Amino acid sequence: MKPLQTSFLATEIAITDEEATNLSPLTHDFDPSVEVAIAIGGEETPSFLGQAEAFARHLRKQGLHVSQTIIAGADHMSSVRDLGMDGTRAADCLAKLIQRDGTPAHNAATRSVP
C-alpha cells in the first residue's frame, strides 16, 4: 500500500501512513491451514513483482503453503479482469485452487498484527 502514496493515484486515494500500514497484508497474520496462490502478471513493474515476493515470504514465515504463478502477457488490471473470463490463465489458476480440496479459496481468516 505504501507505494500508492507516491503513485499517480496519490491525490485521489489520499491514504495516510497509518492507513497504508493497516491496509497492507504484510501487517496481518493468516490462518496457516489456508492454501494461497499468488498469480502476478508477467508485464508487471519490478515494484509489483517485489510486493508479490514479499507477500509470499510473509505467508511462508507463518507456515502457509504458497504457490506462485506468472501470467505471461498480463498486468494487474488484465489479470483481475481475466479471473472471470473462462479459459484465461488467471481463471484457470483460480479454478485449480478452488478445486484442490473442494473448500472455497476465500476462507482466509485474518487478524491484525499488534
Side-chain angles (χ1 to χ4, degrees):
M1 298 304 298
K2 198 81 173 140
L4 291 175
Q5 291 181 292
T6 56
S7 77
F8 71 95
L9 294 172
T11 306
E12 292 180 43
I13 62 172
I15 60 174
T16 66
D17 287 343
E18 182 179 4
E19 289 170 323
T21 298
N22 291 339
L23 293 170
S24 172
L26 296 178
T27 62
H28 295 271
D29 286 342
F30 294 84
D31 180 343
S33 69
V34 173
E35 186 172 337
V36 177
I38 297 176
I40 188 162
E43 299 303 312
E44 291 298 357
T45 63
S47 177
F48 275 101
L49 295 169
Q51 290 173 35
E53 187 57 40
F55 187 45
R57 279 193 309 273
H58 178 69
L59 295 170
R60 286 185 181 116
K61 279 175 53 177
Q62 294 180 40
L64 281 80
H65 178 269
V66 180
S67 63
Q68 292 176 265
T69 301
I70 301 223
I71 301 174
D75 59 35
H76 58 282
M77 299 299 282
S78 63
S79 58
V80 171
R81 176 202 64 212
D82 290 353
L83 287 170
M85 297 177 69
D86 193 35
T88 63
R89 180 75 175 121
D92 291 347
C93 288
L94 179 58
K96 284 180 190 172
L97 179 66
I98 292 169
Q99 293 169 357
R100 267 197 199 122
D101 69 354
T103 304
H106 64 278
N107 275 348
T110 66
R111 59 182 163 75
S112 296
V113 175

